[in-house]
Amino acid sequence: MSVKVFETKDVQDLLTAASNLGGQAGNARFQQITHRLLSDLFKAIDDLDITPDEVWAGVHYLNKLGQDGEAALLAAGIGLEKYLDIRMDAADKAVGLEGGTPRTIEGPLYVAGAPVREGVSRIDINPDADAGPLVIRGTVTDLEGKPLAGAHVECWHANSKGFYSHFDPTGAQTEFNLRGAVKTGADGKYEFRTLMPVGYGCPPQGATQQLLDGLGRHGNRPAHVHFFVTSDDHRKLTTQFNIEGDPLIWDDFAYATREELIPPVVEKTGGAALGLKADTYKEIEFNLTLTALLQGKDNQIVHRPRASAEA
Ligand code: DHB
Ligand code: FE
């Protein structure tokens, strides 16, 4: 049934009516975006001869996606979140803004409200027999290398099963396990005492994995640690580092890996004196360089619904 109807007046009128483009009521920006996305969808149906069965499979997929609460997971998996990073990188370049720790995706698993500590925070609250101790530390500086006092460094990561507290289907973790926030002192230093994470995998029965299966893709991420970093007069940094040596580093289903975000993992001793669960531990130094506001504004702030909890 290779018919072409997209360009007809009937279809174009239908698109204008369905999006209420140019209508008195409603929001003009919302109408514009809806009209464009609907047009692109209709055109794809025409061009690729997408069948009614295929359309309804897609419509019902959206129901499952919502039921599973996985729309933000899917956004990472289909590269949409990475695409927004690519656009922000290009916007920085266009205004000559270079340097600073590279951004990479936030992902869907942040929880606001972690307790804020001065300089150092121990964030492994729940025992995890399979995870060894890890110290993450570094200095927050500006582009000139000046330490930033009073900067907020937040981090969050998975446990040895690849699960994040608050979203852990096994119920094994209390609120804010492996999530923390530190305020830097005059030296700009931060430190998290924690456990080595393992890579995350999409819920195997969920809508995201279902789509990836259809594409012949896996839904796994290399082990990684997320960061939000804020400081007065600087732009908020959203980033992550990967754990060096993870076999999936260059095969991340969410496309977050960047060359500059794979710090070395160093073997250390002296963990007992730091209160770690073993004397031998791993240390990762991850320095964070923030960029100044752009004409007094933070154009890196992203508003999106985020989970929050009471510590
Ligand atoms: C997803 C999970 C993560 O841990 C992450 O950092 C990014 C994305 C996801 O399931 O889409
Ligand atoms: Fe993650």
Side-chain angles (χ1 to χ4, degrees), residues 38-119:
L38 211 48
S39 298
D40 288 353
L41 174 63
F42 282 21
K43 183 147 186 0
I45 292 172
D46 230 22
D47 288 350
L48 305 180
D49 233 338
I50 299 176
T51 67
D53 291 12
E54 288 168 333
V55 169
W56 290 115
V59 169
H60 284 272
Y61 177 80
L62 292 180
N63 271 340
K64 176 167 168 60
L65 186 64
Q67 273 160 11
D68 295 350
E70 288 195 5
L73 269 64
L74 184 69
I78 58 176
L80 180 59
E81 200 171 359
K82 172 68 179 178
Y83 183 58
L84 299 178
D85 278 352
I86 292 171
R87 285 182 48 80
M88 284 193 276
D89 285 354
D92 282 355
K93 200 160 175 229
V95 295
L97 215 162
E98 274 171 71
T101 303
R103 63 169 61 81
T104 196
I105 70 163
E106 172 180 332
L109 303 173
Y110 172 76
V111 179
V116 184
R117 313 267 187 241
E118 300 286 327

Side-chain angles (χ1 to χ4, degrees), residues 174-186:
T174 54
E175 209 67 89
F176 294 109
N177 188 46
L178 311 180
R179 299 175 183 275
V182 156
K183 190 174 163 208
T184 60

Side-chain angles (χ1 to χ4, degrees), residues 72-73 76-77 105-109 164 200 202 221 224 226 240 253-254:
L73 269 64
I105 70 163
E106 172 180 332
L109 303 173
Y164 285 78
Y200 167 95
C202 288
R221 302 207 55 212
H224 60 278
H226 297 263
Q240 312 177 21
F253 100 102

Side-chain angles (χ1 to χ4, degrees), residues 15-29:
L15 284 164
T16 305
S19 56
N20 197 24
L21 193 68
Q24 290 302 306
N27 176 291
R29 175 70 173 162

Side-chain angles (χ1 to χ4, degrees), residues 256-272:
T257 305
R258 304 187 74 151
E259 202 75 67
E260 309 88 329
L261 302 176
I262 314 171
V265 179
V266 180
E267 285 270 359
K268 302 271 264 198
T269 53

Side-chain angles (χ1 to χ4, degrees), residues 142-289:
D142 66 12
L143 271 181
E144 280 74 51
K146 185 168 77 69
L148 293 173
H152 268 82
V153 181
E154 280 189 88
C155 95
W156 67 103
H157 67 80
N159 67 4
S160 70
K161 309 283 177 292
F163 293 133
Y164 285 78
S165 61
H166 192 87
F167 302 99
D168 186 338
T170 71
Q173 300 183 65
T174 54
E175 209 67 89
F176 294 109
N177 188 46
L178 311 180
R179 299 175 183 275
V182 156
K183 190 174 163 208
T184 60
D187 57 6
K189 289 190 190 306
Y190 78 90
E191 180 173 323
F192 292 105
R193 297 184 186 159
T194 187
L195 298 173
M196 187 58 92
V198 159
Y200 167 95
C202 288
Q205 307 307 324
T208 304
Q209 190 57 57
Q210 183 187 330
L211 182 138
L212 294 170
D213 286 346
L215 298 174
R217 289 180 50 199
H218 70 72
N220 300 308
R221 302 207 55 212
H224 60 278
V225 177
H226 297 263
F227 287 83
F228 277 161
V229 191
T230 56
S231 182
D232 287 348
D233 303 326
H234 292 81
R235 300 192 299 165
K236 175 181 173 178
L237 171 67
T238 301
T239 196
Q240 312 177 21
F241 66 70
N242 286 337
I243 305 294
E244 184 189 52
D246 191 298
L248 286 179
I249 277 197
W250 293 108
D251 190 15
D252 176 6
F253 100 102
Y255 308 105
T257 305
R258 304 187 74 151
E259 202 75 67
E260 309 88 329
L261 302 176
I262 314 171
V265 179
V266 180
E267 285 270 359
K268 302 271 264 198
T269 53
L274 299 177
L276 306 182
K277 74 175 190 180
D279 196 59
T280 305
Y281 67 100
K282 304 263 203 294
E283 184 182 81
I284 294 176
E285 182 179 0
F286 187 54
N287 295 316
L288 296 156
T289 308

